[in-house]
Amino acid sequence: MTDFTARKTLVIGGSRGIGAAIVRRFAKDGADVRFTYAGSHDAAQALAAETGTTAIKSDAADRQAVTDVVAAQGPLDILVVNAGACILGDALTLDPDAIDRMFDINIRAPYHAAVEAARHMPEGGRIIVIGSVNGDRMPFAGGAAYAATKSALQGMARGLARDFGARGITVNIVQPGPTDTDMNPADGPMAGAMKDFMAIKRYATSEEIAGLTAYLAGPEASIITGAMHTIDGGFGA
């Protein structure tokens, strides 16, 4: 476990799945955790009660809402951006408005949240964004727009790492492969195809993703920045 005692932490997109596991891990390790949610009110309130954290309703697709919620927390020690959308299908028939909303959530929200957090983040702060192995590899049809959003995070992290490096603030991307969540369950219809691509033929758990995130937020990772950290069972190998 990492000692995050009194480290002020904001998780954007924390009510379910990987986000909830991150909230639980950081709270268990002593952090002062707040997290946002959009539609999962009951899940968010239950998680907040379970972990002693604070749930904040905020739409990650709304740039002003994102920057407002970051600014309202005051100086943050750790920012984790987990909010994400996944739209797959024939590029010729997908709803352009839905694709633009995915771009807002997957690219614009992490960028604007990171910049706003860095305005007041103390020396040695941590910015971590949950991306996807699909930023490196898209092995099936229908994922062009989603993969584009995850690849964009890579350039963002490299650039912001240089922008904030003089203050010891690190910027990293965690890139999960297939992970057992309600969006992509380990026994779901896509599981067989996903496991075929993997060297270790099982889905990751949300807790494993949270563990890597905690490491990157901890003192041993103070020299790691501008990097992509793939945790995918060899999906992209």
Side-chain angles (χ1 to χ4, degrees):
M1 294 298 175
T2 306
D3 184 5
F4 291 134
T5 301
R7 298 269 284 175
K8 188 183 290 185
T9 301
L10 175 64
V11 180
I12 295 180
S15 62
R16 299 181 297 122
I18 291 171
I22 291 169
V23 169
R24 289 187 178 99
R25 174 60 187 266
F26 278 73
K28 184 176 181 180
D29 288 357
D32 173 10
V33 181
R34 303 95 188 270
F35 68 91
T36 71
Y37 69 96
S40 303
H41 176 80
D42 291 346
Q45 297 306 313
L47 179 63
E50 172 197 335
T51 57
T53 58
T54 301
I56 304 165
K57 186 174 177 60
S58 178
D59 183 1
D62 182 332
R63 182 184 67 192
Q64 192 63 54
V66 169
T67 56
D68 285 351
V69 78
V70 172
Q73 308 315 307
L76 291 167
D77 298 295
I78 301 166
L79 171 69
V80 180
V81 184
N82 172 70
C86 180
I87 298 174
L88 304 174
D90 184 349
L92 300 178
T93 60
L94 288 173
D95 178 3
D97 289 336
I99 296 300
D100 283 350
R101 179 176 171 81
M102 181 171 66
F103 288 171
D104 287 339
I105 295 170
N106 290 8
I107 306 173
R108 294 187 176 94
Y111 176 82
H112 291 297
V115 170
E116 187 62 35
R119 295 185 194 282
H120 305 291
M121 186 171 272
E123 183 90 9
R126 299 285 191 270
I127 297 170
I128 301 162
V129 180
I130 308 302
S132 169
V133 67
N134 293 132
D136 290 330
R137 183 186 188 206
M138 175 45 69
F140 51 83
Y146 177 70
T149 69
K150 298 307 182 178
S151 295
L153 295 176
Q154 300 180 352
M156 182 198 80
R158 294 184 180 106
L160 292 182
R162 295 192 179 277
D163 291 339
F164 306 149
R167 294 162 54 197
I169 295 171
T170 66
V171 184
N172 286 287
I173 309 296
V174 172
Q175 298 191 146
T179 304
D180 187 18
T181 65
D182 57 359
M183 290 180 62
N184 183 20
D187 60 355
M190 296 179 65
M194 295 298 99
K195 290 176 185 176
D196 283 345
F197 291 113
M198 301 172 77
I200 299 173
K201 296 189 181 300
R202 69 167 178 85
Y203 274 36
T205 67
S206 295
E207 290 74 21
E208 287 171 319
I209 312 305
L212 177 55
T213 305
Y215 172 75
L216 292 171
E220 292 177 309
S222 62
I223 196 65
I224 301 173
T225 194
M228 314 316 129
H229 305 273
T230 299
I231 176 170
D232 71 343
F235 180 92

